[in-house]
Amino acid sequence: MGLYTIKLPDVGEGIAEAELGVWKVAIGDVVKEDDILTEMMTDKAAVEIPSSVSGRVVWLGCDAGDILSIGADLIRLEVEGVGNTGAEAASANVEPASKPDAKVATPELAQAAAASTPQPGLQLGDGKGLHEIKVPDVGEGIAEAELTGWSVAVGAEVQEDDIIAEVMTEKAAVEIPSDISGTVLYLGGAVGDTLAIGSTLMLLEVDGTGNTTVEVALQKMGSSVTSPAAAPAKSATAPVSKARPTAAAPRAESKSAAPASPYRRAEGEKPLTTPSVRKRAREMGVDLRLVSGSGPAGRITHEDLTHFHQSGGQSATGIAKRPRLTAETEEKVIGLRRKIAERMALSKSRIPHITIVEEIDVTDLEDLRSQLNKARAESRGKLTMLPFVIRAIVDAVAAQPNLNAHFEDDHSVLRKFQAVHVGIATQTPGGLIVPVVRHCEALSLWDSAAELGRLATAAKAGKAKAEDLSGSTITITSLGPLGALATTPIINYPEVAIVGINKMEVRPHWDGSGFVPRKKMNISCSFDHRVIDGWDAAVFVQKLKSLFEAPALLMLED
Amino acid sequence: MEELKCKLLVIGSGPGGYVCAIRAGQLGVDTIIVEAKAHGGTCLNVGCIPSKALIHAAEKFSHAIHFTSDNPLGISVQKPQIDLQKTVAWKDGIVARLNGGVGILLKRAGVRAIIGHARFRDGKSVFVKTDMGEQLIHAEKIVIATGSVPFEIPSLPFGGDVISSTGALALTAVPKQLIVVGGGYIGLEIGTAMAKLGANVTVVEFAARILPQYDTDLTKPVADRLAALGVTVMLNAKAEGLNAAKDALRVTLEGGEKTELPFDKVLVAVGRKARTQDCGLDELALKMNGTFIQIDNRCQTSMRDVFAIGDVTGEPMLAHRAIAQGEMTAEIVAGGPQAWDKQCIPAVCFTDPEIVTAGLGPDEARALGHDIVTPGFTPEEELVLNREIVIGKFPFTANGRAMTMESESGFIRVVARASDHVILGIQATGGGISELAATFALAIEMGARLEDIAGTIHAHPTQSEGLQEAALKALGHAIHI
């Protein structure tokens, strides 16, 4: 007969612990190999745990609902043959639920205690009595039992119902509780001893008279104990209470933790594995150099590969890596997005763009704008920068009509317009659209501000009408506060120019004697270089700059 | 001119090419294979297979000769004779059978096979000159598997009595005086066979020892056997060319002394070179690696959709390497993710005794050794990274089966990393050892450790027990030595 321990198996989902379900067996049950013992709940599923051997259940590692580490002892069976567990190892963590103070007492301690007290020091305090706990009859006509573990040591305080020892019969391991509270004076044997049923298991000092006397107890222990009270109980127990907890705790720890130590491959060393794993890795698209192997010498097993793959590149040995994300999604480019794509491609493929970036001092413009807003916001509405830009463009193209034009390149016609219909590139939830402020040449600043507001609302709500979205002759693009230092705007084909507004910020300005803070803003303007020469482009940009920097010019007619 | 179209065109039907074509056919790739001569390439027609047939016949004959004198087996034989013409016919029969077999396999895989000489027009099309005229084949992907040809010494061109290995395998009479220029495995395999058949063989080797790619431990039994067979081995000797009468070979010996060796035949076996000359490869301007076509780990050349496999891609020029490349390339052509990830390419030398190598030899392993240790790791890690090696060697003198076969020369040697006992290489020499090549390669390919080999039951009585013993030896507890 031997003891066989079944540990909580790794179900391969990379979990470290699992919740136990209902036990399908109880202590004393006979189970056959492959019988279901219990089930464990992982994050993903309830997994049934079968028995790997046949035998009789002698110990259960926890109660239903408990959380148990992978690899922790789950159940112990008495099996034919030697089993896989020594009785001492088994007793080491026999009672996971026992109280901390009881845990300190280990088999070794108990042994040591037993050895150091060959003669029980049965000196009782005032008003105390001696209480004997006998090896109980654990049933089925058994005459003796093997002591497999002490839960307490001499000197320990024991409460009623505390587990004090575990004995093993031919059929089962049985925990023996104390039937009384008291202080342990004597242990009836060392771990591994065989004790007769009814013999003294433990003597306790208890309140009251107890159930036996020193004389009786000594007599019962036989002639080997002749001199009572030779060593005072307290002094005998002193080393015990000081002794460090050994064996049991560390051993149990190493059992439950057991992490596979990450295996380090030398730089450039090929991963050790088998051809079938290599092939599968290729098919999965996994780079085996990133997978750590749990096998001997760090060999990568199929399980390692599966784990690595399923965890999105997390190595089996728990070295955290930023996971590689491999999912791809396909999105059909349709509707407005496809339209934008076509328009952009058309413009970029047909028009040789020339882009000019210029810095503009808008301090004065901003001052003017804020004054106007202060004075007239309530009556005429608030002005943003855009109406000024529109006005500047209107003024600039009046002098350079070539820029307010469509180049119908299929027919080699440059169609110039007197009307200035300014497209405003606008971001909407559906994508970029270009509502058009029509006849800007005829609009005051506030008129265009109002029109801009109407168009923006309509565009963002998706209610812009077709005529609101077509017919522009020149376009403004602005990313607002995100507007960056410079951009390379793409011309709204078949127009020939686009004005990009960049972010405004306070920058140091050299005024001839020192730096002064000025509000500055870049504009990035692109032109169709087929019909607009660099000179004309530069003149246009300088015109805009002069208008922005001397905003009074913008206000001449207003 | 008829034009054909296909997804994959394989040029050359050697072991690499035909395997590639068959595998591609299995994968449903529309495949054409073009072969100038006969299916099977060098290996099947003028290499591995016919040479092994000749070696086998020579071995049998040499046994018979051995039995004419007093021998421990107590067998006596009267005056054995060999009719080499008949031997060659038998050998040709085997070759023909295998030729036909390859043809049938190709057909069964749905591969169109065309006999003709292929020449590139461009990276997507190839002219094939057939008996019926010229044919143009357009292919999406092309695999160049044109193989190799014997290297020719300029001062000793092939022709007349100066023969290549191909010529040697077609000899119908045993030459009285055979000079073998080149002490590599081809020269020694054929030279040994001819010596066993009764030729007076002299080996002229430029290097300081025979089989220079192997360590002396491995080659010593071969050198001993050559001496026992009466083969003269001249080391550090340079073949300069024929004399004026063309009946003797001018040789410069070590130290500059010149001599002339009379001969009936001169076998020049000084290596092989890629066959790239006559197939219009210039049209492609592929990146070369010396005289070989440069490939990456997916057998891709520098031109997209043009692959190269086998000898034309360089050393090691071994049929089984070409086979593995061919299979892989077919799968890549069919869209697979494969790439070359073999751990070892075993090599067999059919000398007497045979030599097998797989993975790293002790010297190569040592060369990769100490400098790999990276400082700054904990002692445990350093132990893992340390590439100290352990070597276990088991001689066949201690192997029962070897004794019963009168084949006690040689040994099996296992080279493993000291830290974790992963086997880095296995080498062996001995009679019939070639059949263990697969075991050696398997151990390395599977990442076996010494304990894996030691823990595997090796059937008794076999020579293979030597492998288990060598592993045990490396672990420090061999039983039989």
Side-chain angles (χ1 to χ4, degrees):
Chain A
M1 284 290 181
L3 256 190
Y4 190 95
T5 304
I6 297 174
K7 294 172 190 298
L8 191 62
D10 185 356
V11 291
E13 295 179 357
I15 52 168
E17 54 187 20
E19 180 187 335
L20 262 291
V22 178
W23 282 104
K24 303 281 199 292
V25 295
I27 289 179
D29 284 0
V30 174
V31 298
K32 293 202 176 57
E33 189 177 341
D34 289 335
D35 282 357
I36 301 302
L37 300 172
T38 181
E39 56 181 22
M40 59 192 269
M41 297 296 302
T42 71
D43 293 344
K44 295 171 185 163
V47 179
E48 288 188 328
I49 302 173
S51 176
S52 48
V53 293
S54 302
R56 182 185 292 272
V57 179
V58 296
W59 178 81
L60 299 179
C62 62
D63 295 326
D66 282 0
I67 306 286
L68 214 56
S69 299
I70 302 298
D73 291 359
L74 177 69
I75 188 171
R76 224 166 264 138
L77 303 168
E78 189 181 62
V79 295
E80 296 290 335
V82 291
N84 66 354
T85 311
E88 241 182 278
S91 65
N93 56 356
V94 68
E95 183 42 75
S98 59
K99 289 174 186 168
D101 59 344
K103 261 188 191 162
V104 174
T106 67
E108 277 178 33
L109 284 176
Q111 264 174 307
S116 67
T117 55
Q119 299 171 350
L122 300 179
Q123 208 164 38
L124 299 175
D126 289 339
K128 302 281 184 177
L130 191 63
H131 182 90
E132 178 191 22
I133 298 175
K134 295 177 181 174
V135 178
D137 183 0
V138 289
E140 303 187 17
I142 297 160
E144 54 186 16
E146 184 189 340
L147 183 64
T148 53
W150 285 113
S151 301
V152 293
V154 170
E157 295 287 340
V158 175
Q159 301 298 314
E160 191 177 341
D161 287 332
D162 278 356
I163 302 300
I164 52 171
E166 183 193 64
V167 297
M168 177 76 93
T169 71
E170 279 170 25
K171 306 229 167 101
V174 178
E175 288 166 347
I176 300 173
S178 174
D179 51 7
I180 196 162
S181 301
T183 306
V184 179
L185 291 182
Y186 171 77
L187 302 178
V191 170
D193 288 356
T194 299
L195 305 177
I197 303 300
S199 64
T200 304
L201 179 65
M202 180 181 278
L203 293 174
L204 297 161
E205 183 189 59
V206 296
D207 291 332
T209 55
N211 64 358
T212 183
T213 62
V214 172
E215 289 74 21
V216 173
L218 290 177
Q219 198 181 350
K220 191 174 175 188
M221 280 176 241
S223 55
S224 65
V225 181
T226 50
S227 148
K234 297 285 186 227
S235 70
T237 62
V240 172
S241 57
K242 272 187 195 163
R244 63 198 162 85
T246 55
R251 214 182 292 163
E253 239 170 61
S254 70
K255 262 182 206 162
S256 58
S261 67
Y263 186 85
R264 270 197 103 118
R265 275 189 290 274
E267 184 72 29
E269 185 181 322
K270 285 181 192 166
L272 189 66
T273 184
T274 62
S276 60
V277 170
R278 275 182 212 111
K279 180 164 191 281
R280 209 170 124 236
R282 287 248 180 252
E283 286 161 2
M284 287 175 164
V286 168
D287 183 347
L288 280 175
R289 287 172 301 185
L290 302 176
V291 182
S292 26
S294 64
R299 179 171 2 194
I300 299 167
T301 63
H302 277 287
E303 289 71 33
D304 295 334
L305 180 58
T306 304
H307 189 272
F308 182 88
H309 189 59
Q310 285 177 350
S311 62
Q314 219 81 333
S315 81
T317 49
I319 298 172
K321 288 194 181 84
R322 289 178 66 83
R324 295 185 161 199
L325 305 177
T326 51
E328 296 171 5
T329 53
E330 200 172 86
E331 189 182 305
K332 205 89 182 128
V333 174
I334 53 167
L336 178 61
R337 178 50 55 190
R338 189 173 65 194
K339 204 78 200 152
I340 294 168
E342 286 169 4
R343 301 277 302 170
M344 291 296 172
L346 179 69
S347 175
K348 259 303 201 194
S349 59
R350 287 210 178 177
I351 301 177
H353 285 62
I354 175 179
T355 301
I356 295 179
V357 180
E358 178 60 286
E359 184 183 63
I360 291 170
D361 185 334
V362 291
T363 316
D364 296 343
L365 180 61
E366 281 297 282
D367 288 348
L368 172 66
R369 193 168 73 86
S370 72
Q371 280 167 14
L372 289 174
N373 279 341
K374 258 183 217 158
R376 301 202 190 176
E378 300 215 343
S379 57
R380 305 196 62 175
K382 220 169 171 178
L383 290 175
T384 61
M385 179 69 89
L386 267 182
F388 295 94
V389 179
I390 289 171
R391 169 51 57 88
I393 288 172
V394 167
D395 287 1
V397 298
Q400 289 181 283
N402 279 4
L403 287 158
N404 189 44
H406 286 176
F407 180 32
E408 293 165 5
D409 46 9
D410 285 338
H411 310 104
S412 294
V413 169
L414 184 69
R415 189 178 301 279
K416 302 181 214 176
F417 302 97
Q418 282 198 320
V420 183
H421 304 317
V422 178
I424 309 292
T426 306
Q427 186 64 41
T428 71
L432 176 71
I433 63 171
V434 185
V436 180
V437 182
R438 306 186 82 82
H439 289 291
C440 294
E441 76 283 1
L443 298 179
S444 70
L445 286 174
W446 287 272
D447 293 340
S448 51
E451 179 66 358
L452 281 166
R454 181 187 73 79
L455 287 170
T457 310
K460 281 174 183 153
K463 287 178 182 162
K465 287 173 284 196
E467 59 262 35
D468 289 336
L469 299 174
S470 61
S472 60
T473 57
I474 191 165
T475 297
I476 298 171
T477 177
S478 167
L479 287 169
L482 297 175
L485 206 58
T487 48
T488 55
I490 294 175
I491 294 166
N492 189 13
Y493 182 92
E495 292 161 27
V496 298
I498 185 165
V499 176
I501 307 296
N502 296 117
K503 183 174 57 181
M504 184 180 66
E505 59 191 354
V506 176
R507 293 176 200 159
H509 176 82
W510 183 258
D511 69 356
S513 58
F515 283 107
V516 290
R518 301 288 287 182
K519 287 178 181 161
K520 301 244 182 175
M521 179 183 88
N522 288 357
I523 58 170
S524 306
C525 303
S526 293
F527 305 89
D528 185 340
H529 213 340
R530 295 173 298 179
V531 292
I532 307 297
D533 295 332
W535 174 266
D536 297 324
V539 167
F540 176 74
V541 170
Q542 289 311 313
K543 176 76 177 172
L544 291 183
K545 181 178 164 77
S546 65
L547 290 170
F548 285 134
E549 295 188 346
L553 297 172
L554 289 173
M555 304 296 293
L556 283 180
E557 290 129 325
D558 280 31
Chain B
M1 186 172 66
E2 199 186 342
E3 291 192 9
L4 289 176
K5 274 199 166 66
C6 62
K7 168 111 191 251
L8 172 65
L9 174 65
V10 181
I11 301 174
S13 181
Y18 83 70
V19 166
C20 180
I22 290 173
R23 183 69 188 123
Q26 288 174 347
L27 292 166
V29 176
D30 178 23
T31 305
I32 295 178
I33 189 166
V34 177
E35 168 57 48
K37 288 176 187 152
H39 293 310
T42 299
C43 162
L44 203 163
N45 293 288
V46 292
C48 321
I49 298 297
S51 69
K52 260 79 267 175
L54 181 75
I55 288 167
H56 172 73
E59 180 70 11
K60 292 284 167 192
F61 184 67
S62 117
H63 278 165
I65 296 281
H66 179 58
F67 293 143
T68 58
S69 57
D70 184 37
N71 61 79
L73 301 190
I75 300 172
S76 63
V77 165
Q78 302 277 315
K79 267 205 167 176
Q81 302 282 327
I82 184 163
D83 178 352
L84 195 59
Q85 208 157 353
K86 202 168 168 186
T87 310
V88 168
W90 163 76
K91 174 209 79 177
D92 289 345
I94 294 173
V95 170
R97 237 167 78 200
L98 291 170
N99 282 150
V102 172
I104 291 166
L105 291 173
L106 285 166
K107 199 168 174 187
R108 198 186 292 161
V111 176
R112 286 176 281 172
I114 296 174
I115 297 296
H117 186 91
R119 188 165 47 79
F120 275 99
R121 190 180 77 163
D122 54 53
K124 295 273 178 199
S125 54
V126 166
F127 290 116
V128 179
K129 207 181 271 174
T130 70
D131 293 344
M132 325 272 280
E134 201 164 48
Q135 188 152 54
L136 184 61
I137 302 176
H138 295 282
E140 284 176 40
K141 290 162 200 281
I142 298 179
V143 173
I144 304 169
T146 50
S148 61
V149 290
F151 193 82
E152 196 168 25
I153 300 177
S155 61
L156 203 57
F158 295 125
D161 288 330
V162 179
I163 56 176
S164 67
S165 56
T166 305
L169 293 171
L171 289 177
T172 50
V174 179
K176 249 203 193 106
Q177 290 287 344
L178 175 68
I179 297 177
V180 178
V181 178
Y185 78 97
I186 296 175
L188 290 190
E189 282 184 15
I190 296 175
T192 304
M194 285 298 171
K196 286 177 179 174
L197 290 171
N200 217 332
V201 178
T202 303
V203 175
V204 178
E205 167 60 46
F206 184 67
R209 56 197 190 86
I210 56 166
L211 298 170
Q213 77 268 41
Y214 299 116
D215 58 70
T216 43
D217 263 12
L218 283 169
T219 55
K220 182 164 184 308
V222 176
D224 292 348
R225 180 67 176 138
L226 286 172
L229 286 167
V231 174
T232 310
V233 178
M234 305 171 81
L235 300 173
N236 297 312
K238 190 179 177 205
E240 302 283 6
L242 301 186
N243 65 356
K246 303 209 168 195
D247 60 357
L249 180 73
R250 293 186 291 114
V251 176
T252 305
L253 298 177
E254 192 176 3
E257 191 190 333
K258 290 182 192 299
T259 184
E260 293 195 353
L261 303 173
F263 64 83
D264 294 308
K265 298 282 178 195
V266 176
L267 164 61
V268 178
V270 291
R272 299 180 65 82
K273 59 175 184 179
R275 187 203 298 270
T276 51
Q277 263 63 43
D278 50 359
C279 43
L281 277 179
D282 311 344
E283 299 295 331
L284 306 188
L286 296 179
K287 224 178 235 166
M288 303 298 282
N289 179 9
T291 60
F292 302 107
I293 297 176
Q294 185 177 314
I295 53 168
D296 66 7
N297 69 346
R298 305 189 82 203
C299 287
Q300 301 240 37
T301 67
S302 54
M303 182 177 278
R304 197 194 305 166
D305 291 338
V306 176
F307 299 81
I309 58 174
D311 287 3
V312 77
T313 64
E315 296 287 355
M317 292 197 233
L318 296 169
H320 44 267
R321 167 174 170 264
I323 290 168
Q325 288 179 323
E327 187 191 10
M328 178 188 81
T329 305
E331 283 169 2
I332 290 170
V333 165
Q338 280 77 5
W340 187 261
D341 54 14
K342 307 297 181 198
Q343 302 301 293
C344 78
I345 305 172
V348 182
C349 180
F350 285 86
T351 43
D352 184 4
E354 295 167 352
I355 299 174
V356 172
T357 56
L360 302 176
D363 296 338
E364 298 158 297
R366 269 190 207 106
L368 291 171
H370 302 286
D371 49 354
I372 300 225
V373 177
T374 316
F377 292 112
T378 64
E380 289 81 2
E381 288 168 331
E382 191 151 305
L383 189 68
V384 173
L385 295 174
N386 192 343
R387 297 247 187 127
E388 281 284 353
I389 56 168
V390 287
I391 297 172
K393 188 169 152 185
F394 183 82
F396 284 124
T397 46
N399 176 269
R401 178 61 178 150
M403 291 181 202
T404 65
M405 298 197 303
E406 301 177 279
S407 176
E408 294 177 33
S409 76
F411 57 86
I412 297 180
R413 184 176 66 195
V414 177
V415 178
R417 197 153 52 206
S419 58
D420 55 12
H421 296 170
V422 170
I423 293 172
L424 302 172
I426 307 175
Q427 301 85 37
T429 177
I433 202 72
S434 55
E435 285 303 318
L436 286 181
T439 304
F440 299 168
L442 182 66
I444 294 170
E445 203 69 44
M446 296 291 287
R449 301 197 297 167
L450 291 172
E451 289 83 350
D452 296 322
I453 302 296
T456 301
I457 296 177
H458 286 62
H460 179 77
T462 63
Q463 284 176 284
S464 71
E465 289 172 88
L467 175 60
Q468 188 179 19
E469 288 280 0
L472 286 168
K473 183 79 166 48
L475 290 170
H477 49 91
I479 302 294
H480 291 97
I481 40 172

